[in-house]
Amino acid sequence: MKTLLKIEVVVFFGASIYLFNRLNIEWWWFPALILLPDISMLGYLINPRIGAYTYNFFHHKALALFVYMIGIYFSNNIILLAGIILFAHSSMDRIFGYGLKYTDSFTNTHLGIIGKKK
């Protein structure tokens, strides 16, 4: 099952690249923006609970799809780009095993514990 889930998110990431290529935006914007959603980790400076909420909000695929659909509705390439970047980033994180966070610790995710083993 773990392999199947990884294949799924690789396909999602590939779909993000495909959708990005359909936009009339220079290619370098994709790598320049792909890590931008990680700014949501700043919530961890307050406490793990706020950090988990902000991280999960910006790393949830439903938000990415919602933003993308708004971009379609308004025919706005910038909003479409934002949705694609959010979706691509969350897919990329899942490829590397970084899941949505529980409120007790940054390392406790829905995909398991991340980081160095104690």
Side-chain angles (χ1 to χ4, degrees), residues 97-115:
Y98 299 112
L100 298 175
K101 309 299 184 198
Y102 288 106
T103 57
D104 62 336
S105 168
F106 178 80
T107 60
N108 190 10
T109 77
H110 83 285
L111 297 176
I113 303 296
I114 59 171

Side-chain angles (χ1 to χ4, degrees), residues 58-113:
F58 287 100
H59 286 77
H60 201 285
K61 288 187 178 76
L63 174 67
L65 293 173
F66 180 71
V67 170
Y68 187 77
M69 296 306 262
I70 290 172
I72 289 173
Y73 182 78
F74 289 109
S75 298
N76 185 308
N77 277 355
I78 301 303
I79 298 172
L80 288 168
L81 174 63
I84 290 168
I85 291 298
L86 287 168
F87 195 80
H89 180 86
S90 65
S91 297
M92 183 181 70
D93 273 4
R94 302 305 190 284
I95 290 169
F96 295 117
Y98 299 112
L100 298 175
K101 309 299 184 198
Y102 288 106
T103 57
D104 62 336
S105 168
F106 178 80
T107 60
N108 190 10
T109 77
H110 83 285
L111 297 176
I113 303 296

Side-chain angles (χ1 to χ4, degrees), residues 7-23:
I7 292 170
E8 178 184 54
V9 292
V10 167
V11 170
F12 286 165
F13 187 75
S16 300
I17 293 171
Y18 171 77
L19 291 172
F20 174 80
N21 283 326
R22 294 186 45 87
L23 297 177

